[in-house]
Amino acid sequence: MTNRQSPAIVLQVTAHAEADKIVTLFCRDLGKITAIAKGAKRSKKRFVNKLEPFTSLVITCRPPKKGSLFFLNEAELVDAHLFLRSHYAGYVTAAFISELVRRFSGDQDGDPAVFTLLSWALEALEQPKNHAVIAVFFLLRLLDACGYQPQFSGCAACGCSIEQQPDFTLYPGNGTLLCLRCRQHSRGSSLHLTRQTLKFLSSGQQMQLSRLTSLHMSTNNAYQALRVLCSYSRHILQQDIHSWKSLEMIIRDPGRNNTIDWG
Ligand SMILES: [Zn+2]
């Protein structure tokens, strides 16, 4: 098997045996892969400070002869995203984003759009912007990239537009929107979305990625959107999104938005 090279972002790192690390990466050209970095815990040169969550790298790896574990030969540091290591809200949001990528991506299913989106989100989190808003737009665009784009134009049952009704719900079962009138006739769990939040979401689906950080969404609207999109995502994945709880706590209690002391 010949070596492969690709830009990659570290999603998760675990220790393995005495000296090795197992790294989950999202690669632009290979998609999500799991690789073993032999001697990474001891290595002074090859991997030092590189195999940390959210780090951008260019990796050289060898595909497995059998099974799914790649062998990581080398990693060149592109961006350590150090800001995220010292800001709790940014770190928790990045953890949420990387969990979503791990859960929504199949192994070795390369998708440059997801790689671009992940790179955009990590860069955006380095700016002192509202991290909850970045989480909203990230999840929204990830759903689009994975083929689960919800429809925010109007009620799926009666056809009324979001200009005609102030409040809607998104049904996690199929990602369709229902107005308050139609909701009364439907069953199943639902979550509330105001017209204002829907307008943000609709713009967020259409705007260029590079312009998304210029949209100003209130924390309340972002929280409302995240609750609904997380509920929809859990339904698609049939799995819990563990890091949502920590992110939710920060959004509800911004006092936790502290600098972390890593000791
Ligand atoms: Zn309706």
Side-chain angles (χ1 to χ4, degrees), residues 178-227:
L178 288 180
C179 71
L180 275 190
R181 271 181 320 191
C182 295
R183 185 177 63 179
Q184 288 162 6
H185 307 300
S186 302
R187 292 163 62 186
S189 66
S190 60
L191 285 161
H192 177 235
L193 285 165
T194 60
R195 178 190 292 151
Q196 205 185 19
T197 305
L198 284 167
K199 283 186 175 174
F200 280 118
L201 292 173
S202 193
S203 311
Q205 281 179 327
Q206 289 156 32
M207 275 174 87
Q208 271 182 13
L209 209 50
S210 58
R211 295 186 55 218
L212 275 183
T213 42
S214 64
L215 275 180
H216 295 288
M217 191 182 199
S218 74
T219 302
N220 275 347
N221 286 340
Y223 181 43
Q224 187 186 78
L226 274 176
R227 286 177 63 200

Side-chain angles (χ1 to χ4, degrees), residues 73 78 87 89 104 106 116 127 132 134-135 153 177 187 213 223 246 263:
N73 296 325
V78 176
H87 289 78
F104 272 102
T116 304
Q127 312 299 321
I134 292 159
S153 53
L177 211 58
R187 292 163 62 186
T213 42
Y223 181 43
S246 309

